[in-house]
């Protein structure tokens, strides 16, 4: 007992990092530039997906943690996560009984976003529903978490502007904050089967940017193409008073399950899945703005998959995910307005090989193929919704320490 007390009081610190380099081949890739942004449309390329290094230190009742991202969409070095925390330590090897953190924190919603890191995830990318809920995974705020028996819990208050959301970076445009929480219960169902179940919620206020007032103006259209201005070719454009910015309510709830078992000869097997219902929360895929839309944007998303180790040196995985960002979307079709439930469906399969050194340094080579079973962002020759072919082949080299 005295030895355990000494271990808990002994300062703990470590340095860790992750580098992921991808070679990508995508169906939608083109040797062209985007009409709007002049960005290259070619995606058949090598990509430095993640390059980060971090450190943490704990002194029994308090600590710090920080991770720097060295390649963020080609941009400069930026903080990925950074926080200070105070805690009541648990038993040796267990999470703290109680922990208060403040800074740039992981948002506690769902298994993919909160339960596994980029280095732990088998597949190359998260599912679309996770990218829609919390793009970038982290947000500035404060959280309270704890561990009791087999229950882990976390609740926090955040700006509501995740690091991967477009528009405002690390700034918050409104006073409304997101309240996010998660309960996670785990334990052994049988001696050979460990199971876990999580419940998550999010509630907050989003921001719809207004428009500035405009003056009366006119537009010239050269109807007869003679290069001369005539009164008949001047089209008046009346000014407008503009529209003030508005806030809107948003919420999401989700549940997730995981089953783990050691398969003789092969190794650990993970079966897992997640389901989420969201309203006006999408901030990364089909960004929600019910003020402009004129109604709430309701969506659902779910995924299920498995990862099977093939001894310590290989693994195989399969995952299916589906996301419907706007269940009430309307579009004209053959002279009639119909509901078009936009849907994204993806089937991902992968094979990984591992090399390990002292269980602290791990190298991995992932070969993965993603089938876009449905992607309604495409249009046919008549302008009607159609599937956008965007299968992806990925080879990833990764080192984590």
């Amino acid at each position: 007992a005295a030895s355990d007390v000494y271990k808990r009081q002994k300062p703990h610190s470590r340095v860790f990092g992750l580098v992921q380099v991808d070679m990508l081949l995508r169906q939608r890739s083109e040797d062209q530039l985007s009409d709007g942004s002049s960005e290259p449309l070619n995606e058949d390329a090598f990509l430095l997906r993640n390059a980060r290094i971090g450190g943490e230190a704990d002194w029994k009742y308090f600590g710090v943690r920080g991770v720097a991202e060295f390649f963020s969409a080609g941009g400069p070095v930026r903080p990925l996560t950074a926080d200070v925390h105070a805690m009541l330590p648990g038993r040796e090897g267990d999470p703290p009984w109680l922990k208060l953190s403040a800074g740039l924190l992981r948002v506690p919603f769902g298994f993919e976003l909160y339960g596994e890191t980029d280095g732990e995830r088998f597949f190359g990318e998260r599912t679309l529903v996770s990218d829609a809920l919390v793009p970038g995974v982290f947000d500035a705020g404060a959280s309270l978490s704890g561990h009791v028996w087999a229950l882990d819990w976390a609740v926090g208050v955040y700006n509501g502007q995740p690091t991967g959301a477009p528009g405002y970076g690390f700034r918050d445009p409104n006073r409304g904050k997101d309240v996010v929480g998660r309960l996670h219960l785990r334990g052994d169902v049988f001696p050979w089967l460990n199971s876990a179940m999580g419940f998550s919620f999010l509630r907050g206020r989003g921001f719809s940017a207004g428009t500035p007032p405009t003056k009366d103006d006119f537009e010239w259209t050269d109807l007869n193409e003679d290069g001369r201005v005539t009164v008949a070719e001047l089209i008046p454009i009346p000014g407008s008073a503009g529209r003030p910015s508005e806030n809107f309510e948003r919420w999401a709830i989700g549940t997730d399950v995981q089953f783990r078992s050691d398969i003789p000869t092969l190794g650990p097997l993970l079966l897992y899945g997640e389901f989420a219902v969201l309203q006006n929360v999408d901030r990364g895929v089909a960004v929600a703005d019910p003020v402009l839309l004129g109604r709430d944007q309701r969506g659902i998303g779910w995924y299920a998959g498995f990862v099977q180790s093939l001894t310590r040196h290989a693994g195989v995985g399969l995952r299916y995910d589906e996301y419907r960002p706007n269940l009430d979307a309307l579009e004209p079709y053959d002279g009639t307005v119909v509901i078009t439930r936009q849907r994204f469906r993806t089937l991902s399969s992968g094979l990984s090989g591992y090399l390990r050194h002292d269980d602290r340094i791990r190298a991995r080579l992932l070969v993965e193929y993603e089938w876009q079973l449905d992607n309604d962002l495409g249009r046919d020759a008549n302008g009607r919704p159609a599937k956008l072919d965007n299968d992806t082949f990925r080879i990833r080299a990764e080192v984590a320490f």
Side-chain angles (χ1 to χ4, degrees), residues 74-109:
V77 177
R78 68 171 180 85
L80 182 71
T81 177
D83 72 84
V84 295
H85 50 266
M87 56 191 172
L88 293 177
R91 293 180 299 179
E92 180 68 20
D94 284 350
W97 294 108
L98 194 65
K99 183 177 181 180
L100 175 64
S101 304
L104 193 58
L105 307 173
R106 184 179 292 269
V107 177
F109 193 105

Coordinates of all heavy atoms in Angstrom, one line a residue, residues 74-109:
G74 N -1.6 22.0 -45.0 CA -0.6 22.9 -45.7 C -0.3 24.2 -45.0 O 0.6 24.9 -45.4
G75 N -0.9 24.4 -43.8 CA -0.7 25.7 -43.2 C 0.4 25.7 -42.2 O 1.2 24.7 -42.1
P76 N 0.6 26.7 -41.4 CA 1.7 26.8 -40.4 C 1.5 25.9 -39.2 O 0.4 25.3 -39.0 CB 1.7 28.3 -40.0 CG 0.2 28.7 -40.1 CD -0.3 27.9 -41.3
V77 N 2.5 25.8 -38.4 CA 2.4 25.0 -37.1 C 1.3 25.7 -36.2 O 1.3 26.9 -36.1 CB 3.8 25.0 -36.4 CG1 3.7 24.3 -35.1 CG2 4.9 24.4 -37.3
R78 N 0.5 24.8 -35.6 CA -0.5 25.3 -34.8 C -0.8 24.4 -33.6 O -0.4 23.2 -33.7 CB -1.9 25.5 -35.5 CG -2.5 24.2 -36.0 CD -3.9 24.4 -36.5 NE -4.5 23.2 -37.0 CZ -5.2 22.4 -36.2 NH1 -5.3 22.6 -34.9 NH2 -5.7 21.3 -36.7
P79 N -1.4 24.8 -32.5 CA -1.7 23.9 -31.4 C -2.8 23.0 -31.8 O -3.8 23.4 -32.4 CB -2.1 24.8 -30.3 CG -2.6 26.0 -31.0 CD -1.7 26.2 -32.2
L80 N -2.6 21.7 -31.6 CA -3.7 20.7 -31.8 C -4.5 20.6 -30.6 O -5.8 20.6 -30.6 CB -3.1 19.3 -32.2 CG -4.1 18.3 -32.5 CD1 -4.8 18.6 -33.8 CD2 -3.5 16.9 -32.6
T81 N -3.9 20.5 -29.5 CA -4.5 20.5 -28.2 C -3.6 21.0 -27.1 O -2.4 20.8 -27.2 CB -5.0 19.1 -27.8 OG1 -5.6 19.1 -26.5 CG2 -3.9 18.1 -27.8
A82 N -4.1 21.7 -26.1 CA -3.3 22.2 -25.0 C -4.2 22.5 -23.9 O -5.3 23.0 -24.0 CB -2.6 23.5 -25.4
D83 N -3.8 22.0 -22.7 CA -4.7 22.2 -21.5 C -3.9 22.2 -20.2 O -2.8 21.6 -20.2 CB -5.8 21.1 -21.5 CG -5.3 19.8 -21.1 OD1 -5.1 19.5 -19.9 OD2 -5.0 18.9 -22.0
V84 N -4.5 22.7 -19.2 CA -4.0 22.6 -17.8 C -5.1 21.9 -17.1 O -6.3 22.1 -17.4 CB -3.7 23.9 -17.2 CG1 -2.5 24.6 -17.9 CG2 -4.9 24.9 -17.2
H85 N -4.8 21.1 -16.1 CA -5.8 20.3 -15.4 C -5.4 20.1 -13.9 O -4.2 20.1 -13.6 CB -6.1 19.0 -16.1 CG -4.8 18.2 -16.4 ND1 -4.2 18.2 -17.6 CD2 -4.1 17.3 -15.6 CE1 -3.1 17.4 -17.6 NE2 -3.1 16.8 -16.4
A86 N -6.5 19.9 -13.1 CA -6.3 19.6 -11.7 C -7.1 18.3 -11.5 O -8.2 18.1 -12.2 CB -6.8 20.7 -10.8
M87 N -6.7 17.4 -10.6 CA -7.3 16.1 -10.5 C -7.2 15.5 -9.1 O -6.3 15.9 -8.3 CB -6.7 15.2 -11.5 CG -5.2 15.0 -11.5 SD -4.6 14.2 -12.9 CE -2.8 14.4 -12.6
L88 N -8.0 14.6 -8.8 CA -7.9 13.7 -7.7 C -7.5 12.3 -8.2 O -8.3 11.7 -8.9 CB -9.3 13.6 -6.9 CG -9.7 14.9 -6.2 CD1 -11.1 14.6 -5.6 CD2 -8.7 15.3 -5.2
P89 N -6.3 11.8 -7.9 CA -5.8 10.6 -8.6 C -6.6 9.4 -8.1 O -7.1 9.3 -7.0 CB -4.4 10.5 -8.0 CG -4.0 11.9 -7.6 CD -5.3 12.5 -7.1
G90 N -6.8 8.4 -9.0 CA -7.4 7.2 -8.7 C -6.4 6.1 -8.3 O -5.2 6.5 -8.0
R91 N -6.8 4.9 -8.3 CA -5.9 3.8 -8.0 C -4.8 3.7 -9.1 O -5.0 4.1 -10.3 CB -6.6 2.5 -7.9 CG -7.5 2.5 -6.6 CD -8.2 1.1 -6.5 NE -9.1 0.9 -7.7 CZ -9.8 -0.2 -7.8 NH1 -9.7 -1.2 -6.9 NH2 -10.5 -0.4 -8.9
E92 N -3.7 3.1 -8.8 CA -2.6 3.0 -9.8 C -3.1 2.3 -11.1 O -3.7 1.2 -11.0 CB -1.4 2.2 -9.2 CG -0.3 2.0 -10.1 CD 0.5 3.3 -10.4 OE1 0.3 4.2 -9.6 OE2 1.2 3.3 -11.4
G93 N -2.9 2.9 -12.2 CA -3.3 2.4 -13.5 C -4.7 2.8 -13.9 O -5.1 2.6 -15.0
D94 N -5.5 3.4 -13.0 CA -6.9 3.9 -13.3 C -6.9 5.4 -13.6 O -6.0 6.1 -13.2 CB -7.8 3.6 -12.2 CG -8.2 2.2 -12.0 OD1 -7.9 1.4 -13.0 OD2 -8.8 1.8 -11.0
P95 N -7.9 5.8 -14.4 CA -8.0 7.3 -14.6 C -8.3 8.0 -13.3 O -8.7 7.3 -12.3 CB -9.2 7.4 -15.6 CG -9.4 6.0 -16.2 CD -8.9 5.1 -15.1
P96 N -8.2 9.3 -13.2 CA -8.4 10.1 -12.0 C -9.9 9.9 -11.6 O -10.8 9.8 -12.4 CB -8.1 11.5 -12.4 CG -7.2 11.4 -13.6 CD -7.6 10.2 -14.3
W97 N -10.1 10.0 -10.3 CA -11.5 10.0 -9.8 C -12.2 11.2 -10.3 O -13.4 11.2 -10.6 CB -11.5 10.0 -8.2 CG -11.0 8.8 -7.5 CD1 -9.8 8.7 -6.9 CD2 -11.6 7.6 -7.4 NE1 -9.6 7.5 -6.4 CE2 -10.7 6.7 -6.7 CE3 -12.8 7.0 -7.9 CZ2 -11.0 5.4 -6.4 CZ3 -13.1 5.7 -7.6 CH2 -12.2 4.9 -6.9
L98 N -11.5 12.3 -10.3 CA -12.1 13.6 -10.8 C -11.0 14.4 -11.4 O -9.9 14.5 -10.9 CB -12.7 14.4 -9.6 CG -13.7 15.5 -9.9 CD1 -14.9 15.0 -10.5 CD2 -14.0 16.3 -8.6
K99 N -11.4 15.1 -12.5 CA -10.4 15.9 -13.3 C -11.1 17.1 -13.9 O -12.1 17.0 -14.6 CB -9.8 15.0 -14.4 CG -8.7 15.7 -15.2 CD -8.1 14.7 -16.2 CE -7.0 15.4 -17.0 NZ -6.4 14.4 -18.0
L100 N -10.5 18.2 -13.6 CA -11.0 19.5 -14.2 C -9.9 20.0 -15.2 O -8.8 20.2 -14.8 CB -11.2 20.5 -13.1 CG -11.6 21.9 -13.5 CD1 -12.9 21.9 -14.2 CD2 -11.6 22.9 -12.3
S101 N -10.3 20.2 -16.4 CA -9.4 20.7 -17.5 C -9.9 21.9 -18.1 O -11.1 22.2 -18.2 CB -9.3 19.6 -18.6 OG -8.9 18.3 -18.0
A102 N -9.0 22.7 -18.6 CA -9.3 23.9 -19.4 C -8.3 24.2 -20.5 O -7.1 24.0 -20.2 CB -9.4 25.2 -18.4
G103 N -8.8 24.6 -21.6 CA -7.8 24.8 -22.8 C -8.5 24.4 -24.1 O -9.7 24.5 -24.3
L104 N -7.6 23.9 -24.9 CA -8.1 23.3 -26.2 C -8.3 21.8 -26.1 O -7.3 21.1 -26.0 CB -7.1 23.7 -27.3 CG -7.5 23.5 -28.8 CD1 -8.7 24.3 -29.1 CD2 -6.3 23.8 -29.7
L105 N -9.5 21.4 -25.9 CA -9.8 20.0 -25.5 C -10.5 19.2 -26.5 O -11.2 19.7 -27.4 CB -10.7 20.1 -24.2 CG -10.2 21.0 -23.1 CD1 -11.3 21.1 -22.0 CD2 -8.9 20.4 -22.5
R106 N -10.4 17.9 -26.4 CA -11.1 16.9 -27.2 C -12.6 17.0 -26.7 O -12.9 16.9 -25.5 CB -10.6 15.5 -27.0 CG -11.2 14.5 -27.9 CD -10.6 13.1 -27.7 NE -9.2 13.1 -28.2 CZ -8.9 12.7 -29.4 NH1 -9.8 12.3 -30.3 NH2 -7.6 12.7 -29.7
V107 N -13.5 17.1 -27.7 CA -14.9 17.2 -27.4 C -15.5 15.9 -27.1 O -15.4 14.9 -27.9 CB -15.7 17.9 -28.6 CG1 -17.2 18.0 -28.3 CG2 -15.2 19.3 -28.8
P108 N -16.1 15.7 -25.9 CA -16.6 14.3 -25.5 C -17.9 13.9 -26.1 O -18.9 13.8 -25.4 CB -16.7 14.5 -24.0 CG -17.1 15.9 -23.8 CD -16.4 16.7 -24.9
F109 N -17.8 13.6 -27.4 CA -19.0 13.0 -28.1 C -18.7 11.8 -28.9 O -17.9 11.9 -29.9 CB -19.7 14.1 -29.0 CG -21.1 13.8 -29.5 CD1 -22.2 14.4 -28.9 CD2 -21.3 12.8 -30.4 CE1 -23.4 14.0 -29.3 CE2 -22.5 12.5 -30.9 CZ -23.6 13.1 -30.3

